[in-house]
Amino acid sequence: MTKEDALLILEAPEFALRELERAVERYERAYTRVAGGAIRYDKDKVDGGGGDPDMPLIMVAQRSIELDEAQANYTAAEDTAERYIGMLPDWRKQAVLTSRYVETPALTWPQIAEALGLSLRQTYRLKNNAIAELCDMACGDVLAEVS
């Protein structure tokens, strides 16, 4: 496994979280259109929603499904990254990677260094060594454990 592959696994929760946030926004917009009165139902017609009176409700249902899928993707990405990081034997390396790639909100490198009582240089060294160690461990059985 390359360093880039390892970083893809570690950074996946951040990307999935951004997609989850976008899904929440899309759901809230669709829900607000229906609940907020932008779509007015009358027994004879619907104003503001187009032709099909059920379309706004269908859109809310679709956005709800998208939201559920985004939440599942985020949870899966987070679980995979946590399992991957958990393979490291050194708790400091685990703490560095978890603080940066799994926790929400992610800490900055100086914040991680301060929290662990390390210099910034030591923190970067731990991160680089942890990623290199994960790449070395990612052969056969160990990689199958994460996948």
Side-chain angles (χ1 to χ4, degrees), residues 89-111:
D90 184 354
W91 69 269
R92 295 178 313 156
K93 291 176 183 176
Q94 288 181 5
V96 167
L97 295 182
T98 300
S99 298
R100 180 62 179 187
Y101 297 110
V102 178
E103 289 182 2
T104 306
L107 298 178
T108 63
W109 294 114
Q111 289 171 329

Side-chain angles (χ1 to χ4, degrees), residues 6-74:
L7 286 173
L8 282 175
I9 292 171
L10 294 173
E11 292 172 348
E14 180 183 345
F15 297 129
L17 180 60
R18 281 193 225 142
E19 184 54 39
L20 177 59
E21 290 168 349
R22 285 191 291 270
V24 167
E25 290 172 10
R26 288 190 301 267
Y27 173 80
E28 287 175 349
R29 275 196 310 268
Y31 181 80
T32 301
R33 282 194 71 213
V34 173
I39 311 293
R40 289 185 301 280
Y41 289 93
D42 190 354
K43 68 179 185 177
D44 297 324
K45 65 179 183 168
V46 177
D47 289 331
D52 185 358
D54 292 330
M55 186 53 75
L57 298 175
I58 292 169
M59 187 61 84
V60 170
Q62 288 172 339
R63 296 296 185 236
S64 177
I65 292 168
E66 290 173 9
L67 182 59
D68 291 343
E69 290 171 354
Q71 178 64 48
N73 290 341
Y74 172 68

